[in-house]
Amino acid sequence: MTAVPQIRPVTGAAHSRIHGVGGYRPVRVVPNSEVLEWIDSSDEWIRTRSGITERRWAGPEESVAEMSVQAAGKAIAQAGITADQIGAVIVSTVSHFKQTPAVATEISLKLGCPTAPAFDISAACAGFGYGINLADGMIRGGSAEYVLVIGVERLSDMTDVHDRSTAFIFGDGAGAAVVGPSDTPGIGKVVWGSDATQKDLISQTEAWDTAFAKPDAINGSTGDEARWPALRMDGQPVFRWAVWEMAKVAQQALDAAGVTADQLGAFIPHQANMRITDAMIKALKLPASVPVARDIAETGNTSAASIPLAMERMLQTGEAKSGDLALIIGFGAGLVYAAAVVTLP
Amino acid sequence: MAHTQDEVLSGLAEIVNEIAGIPQEDVELDKSFTDDLDVDSLSMVEVVVAAEERFDVKIPDDEVKNLKTVGDAVNYILTNAA
């Protein structure tokens, strides 16, 4: 009997980093004045509660897949690679309404990497960080050279426009990053986790099967706009968790990376609410010299897409520079979170 | 350490002033946080967290909605502070 051979060890890259980032913002701008046609509120109330002045809502042609392809194309171009070099496609979304096949496969086909492993994940507003963590592990583990991470949402499809506490918050869009090998560490330890005891704080109002069983009585509304289940959240406890618990997580990500806050070139939190960002800056004692992403003002809360969209904007406007260190932190329904220090592409 | 009502009220007034910019002298026991002092729901959470730290007390999320007036908060802190 011959000896059982040893399986050849897998080797990957020493380190990984983000090589390119790109975003897609839908054409249609929805200002607060339009939201006020649906809810009894005021522009000032919306601005002071959320910092949002307008958001983008996708049209029929701006599907989850199409927005992703546009964003990914920009990320791939910045990375200086071609689509056929993409070794895996990870898509984080909670608003793609066809569960199978994964939208990642449609995106990979349209991009020109139709043989790459492709799959969707569901981690809400932490989805981009979850995807980055998976990509980093896959690259260092030797299962892919370049991984495309996409966060994409059409949250307008899940917005109850008559819910005064959420109608103004959500927006649509896509953000993508190409993660690939690096000689030096470009992605710090991703501090991630969940608090499932608070899983009901942010959720879809109803499961699809029960919603379809009573199509005229969803959300207590009979209007056409409310025919889908919507997103709801319990503002005060979410605010408390997002600010003070997430400030601790952000600090852990800094500590794990061996970086101090004053060494950051950008702070890019999930664009959940400007008030959360402002309070988190205080709780984190972030030096005033660190530029902070405030993309939410004109984009709304785009869940998994918000961090790469905000990152792209900061690089485009010159608020942050390629090669600088950025602290990213996503947090949302689950509750789930992921934070890391990354080198900006 | 036990606090007196005056200590808690003046401490809360400082917190409300710092977070919401309300003059400390306006923070009185019978004032409603939202209706009289214009402390919105998110600022209220900031006030609660600051009060927890200052008075070494835990104010659970479920309890926050019951704290309608400054007096409600003062009483809760006096009853529950360590």
XYZ file of all heavy atoms in Angstrom, chain A residues 172-213:
295
model
N -30.426 55.050 -3.494
C -29.989 53.943 -4.346
C -28.587 54.227 -4.881
O -28.194 55.384 -5.025
C -30.940 53.773 -5.531
C -32.386 53.550 -5.099
O -32.599 53.110 -3.953
O -33.290 53.821 -5.907
N -27.888 53.169 -5.247
C -26.578 53.341 -5.862
C -25.745 52.080 -5.736
O -26.172 51.090 -5.128
N -24.569 52.150 -6.346
C -23.637 51.017 -6.287
C -22.232 51.528 -6.065
O -21.865 52.598 -6.558
C -23.699 50.217 -7.588
N -21.461 50.759 -5.317
C -20.043 51.054 -5.128
C -19.270 49.759 -5.271
O -19.756 48.699 -4.857
N -18.100 49.842 -5.880
C -17.324 48.626 -6.120
C -15.863 48.871 -5.793
O -15.364 49.994 -5.905
C -17.461 48.197 -7.574
N -15.189 47.817 -5.387
C -13.753 47.883 -5.135
C -13.095 46.641 -5.706
O -13.642 45.539 -5.606
C -13.465 47.991 -3.644
N -11.924 46.843 -6.320
C -11.101 45.709 -6.734
C -10.039 45.519 -5.660
O -9.266 46.438 -5.366
C -10.430 45.970 -8.099
C -9.403 44.881 -8.398
C -11.479 46.034 -9.190
N -10.053 44.340 -5.052
C -9.055 44.002 -4.037
C -8.081 43.016 -4.669
O -8.508 42.087 -5.367
C -9.716 43.379 -2.792
C -8.684 43.132 -1.692
C -10.833 44.277 -2.271
N -6.795 43.256 -4.456
C -5.808 42.379 -5.075
C -4.540 42.292 -4.251
O -4.467 42.852 -3.142
N -3.535 41.595 -4.755
C -2.310 41.349 -3.993
C -1.518 42.625 -3.744
O -1.626 43.587 -4.505
C -1.528 40.386 -4.892
C -2.059 40.618 -6.262
C -3.485 41.024 -6.106
N -0.721 42.594 -2.703
C 0.070 43.761 -2.341
C 1.343 43.302 -1.629
O 1.330 42.293 -0.916
C -0.746 44.665 -1.413
O 0.030 45.748 -0.960
N 2.420 44.053 -1.833
C 3.676 43.726 -1.142
C 3.629 44.135 0.326
O 4.353 43.588 1.154
C 4.852 44.454 -1.823
C 5.081 43.935 -3.237
O 4.720 42.764 -3.493
O 5.593 44.698 -4.076
N 2.812 45.123 0.629
C 2.689 45.605 2.006
C 1.220 45.521 2.427
O 0.334 45.523 1.568
C 3.163 47.074 2.116
O 2.443 47.839 1.147
C 4.659 47.187 1.848
N 0.952 45.480 3.734
C -0.455 45.379 4.163
C -1.254 46.613 3.769
O -0.868 47.730 4.096
C -0.353 45.277 5.694
C 1.049 44.848 5.977
C 1.890 45.431 4.872
N -2.356 46.405 3.044
C -3.215 47.510 2.643
C -4.610 47.383 3.231
O -5.461 48.245 3.026
N -4.832 46.302 3.948
C -6.115 46.108 4.643
C -5.785 45.587 6.037
O -5.204 44.506 6.186
C -7.022 45.104 3.893
C -7.398 45.666 2.513
C -8.287 44.802 4.720
C -8.198 44.704 1.645
N -6.097 46.383 7.039
C -5.844 45.965 8.417
C -6.829 44.879 8.827
O -7.777 44.561 8.095
N -6.607 44.349 10.012
C -7.533 43.338 10.525
C -8.951 43.904 10.512
O -9.190 44.999 11.033
C -7.144 42.947 11.950
C -8.089 41.930 12.584
C -7.682 41.660 14.033
C -8.755 40.869 14.768
N -8.980 39.530 14.227
N -9.861 43.162 9.905
C -11.249 43.599 9.885
C -11.897 43.159 11.214
O -11.952 41.971 11.519
C -12.025 43.005 8.693
C -13.488 43.425 8.746
C -11.392 43.451 7.368
N -12.324 44.146 11.982
C -13.030 43.853 13.234
C -14.498 43.738 12.878
O -15.134 44.722 12.485
C -12.797 44.969 14.273
C -13.584 44.681 15.545
C -11.310 45.107 14.580
N -15.011 42.541 12.925
C -16.397 42.351 12.500
C -17.152 41.520 13.527
O -16.559 40.856 14.374
C -16.479 41.746 11.098
C -15.943 40.345 10.910
C -15.136 39.648 11.772
C -16.179 39.500 9.777
N -14.856 38.413 11.232
C -15.469 38.300 10.012
C -16.899 39.639 8.600
C -15.482 37.244 9.103
C -16.900 38.583 7.704
C -16.203 37.404 7.958
N -18.467 41.564 13.435
C -19.273 40.811 14.386
C -20.738 41.161 14.249
O -21.159 41.784 13.266
N -21.486 40.740 15.238
C -22.921 41.010 15.209
C -23.456 41.125 16.629
O -22.759 40.805 17.595
C -23.657 39.886 14.467
O -23.580 38.683 15.212
N -24.668 41.598 16.758
C -25.398 41.548 18.012
C -26.814 41.093 17.666
O -27.716 41.904 17.457
C -25.425 42.912 18.704
C -26.206 42.853 20.014
O -26.717 41.757 20.358
O -26.333 43.894 20.684
N -26.940 39.778 17.575
C -28.213 39.213 17.121
C -29.336 39.425 18.131
O -30.514 39.310 17.773
C -28.043 37.726 16.821
N -28.983 39.776 19.383
C -30.056 40.040 20.355
C -30.861 41.274 19.937
O -31.963 41.484 20.411
C -29.499 40.268 21.773
O -28.707 41.463 21.784
C -28.662 39.080 22.239
N -30.277 42.075 19.046
C -30.980 43.283 18.600
C -31.404 43.161 17.131
O -31.478 44.155 16.410
C -30.076 44.506 18.792
C -29.611 44.668 20.236
C -29.231 46.101 20.554
O -30.085 46.968 20.734
N -27.952 46.368 20.609
N -31.670 41.946 16.704
C -31.948 41.707 15.281
C -33.218 42.401 14.795
O -33.375 42.634 13.598
C -32.034 40.196 14.995
C -33.225 39.508 15.616
C -33.232 38.035 15.278
C -34.367 37.301 15.971
N -35.713 37.865 15.742
N -34.124 42.719 15.699
C -35.386 43.321 15.257
C -35.356 44.846 15.171
O -36.340 45.462 14.761
C -36.522 42.889 16.198
C -36.744 41.381 16.143
O -36.555 40.801 15.049
O -37.081 40.787 17.179
N -34.245 45.459 15.549
C -34.199 46.931 15.554
C -34.297 47.524 14.154
O -34.838 48.613 13.962
C -32.917 47.436 16.219
C -32.820 47.303 17.733
C -31.592 48.040 18.240
C -34.062 47.828 18.430
N -33.711 46.840 13.182
C -33.802 47.276 11.785
C -34.202 46.042 10.991
O -33.492 45.039 11.031
C -32.456 47.787 11.227
C -31.804 48.783 12.185
C -32.642 48.384 9.834
C -30.357 49.119 11.817
N -35.329 46.112 10.301
C -35.714 44.911 9.560
C -36.736 45.228 8.484
O -37.316 46.320 8.444
C -36.286 43.849 10.513
O -37.555 44.261 10.980
N -36.931 44.253 7.628
C -37.998 44.302 6.637
C -39.305 44.085 7.395
O -39.378 43.239 8.287
C -37.738 43.178 5.632
C -38.645 43.134 4.441
C -38.168 42.092 3.426
O -36.966 41.969 3.173
N -39.081 41.335 2.871
N -40.334 44.858 7.049
C -41.567 44.794 7.823
C -42.205 43.416 7.797
O -42.861 43.006 8.747
C -42.602 45.804 7.285
O -42.636 45.713 5.863
C -42.267 47.205 7.712
N -42.014 42.712 6.702
C -42.725 41.446 6.538
C -41.949 40.559 5.577
O -41.275 41.058 4.672
C -44.111 41.729 5.958
C -45.077 40.615 6.115
C -46.518 41.105 5.940
O -46.711 42.242 5.491
O -47.424 40.330 6.251
N -42.045 39.254 5.747
C -41.416 38.336 4.798
C -42.186 38.373 3.483
O -43.380 38.690 3.449
C -41.404 36.920 5.366
N -41.494 38.034 2.392
C -42.135 38.134 1.077
C -43.350 37.218 0.957
O -44.366 37.585 0.375
C -41.140 37.785 -0.031
C -40.057 38.797 -0.125
C -38.775 38.670 0.326
C -40.165 40.127 -0.646
N -38.086 39.838 0.105
C -38.904 40.728 -0.491
C -41.200 40.848 -1.230
C -38.651 42.047 -0.907
C -40.951 42.150 -1.637
C -39.698 42.726 -1.475
N -43.251 36.014 1.524
C -44.358 35.075 1.343
C -45.629 35.557 2.043
O -46.722 35.510 1.474
C -43.961 33.653 1.775
C -43.356 33.587 3.154
O -43.188 34.649 3.792
O -43.045 32.466 3.612
N -45.486 36.072 3.246
C -46.685 36.560 3.923
C -47.188 37.853 3.290
O -48.388 38.122 3.249
C -46.450 36.771 5.432
O -45.315 37.612 5.603
C -46.223 35.460 6.142
N -46.252 38.662 2.773
C -46.665 39.902 2.113
C -47.492 39.604 0.862
O -48.519 40.234 0.619
C -45.445 40.730 1.741
N -47.053 38.635 0.110
C -47.776 38.304 -1.117
C -49.130 37.654 -0.825
O -50.027 37.676 -1.664
C -46.933 37.389 -2.015
C -46.013 38.166 -2.909
C -44.659 38.243 -2.619
C -46.503 38.833 -4.021
C -43.806 38.975 -3.435
C -45.654 39.567 -4.835
C -44.294 39.640 -4.539
N -49.265 37.119 0.359
C -50.536 36.496 0.712
C -51.631 37.525 0.962
O -52.810 37.202 0.955
C -50.352 35.610 1.943
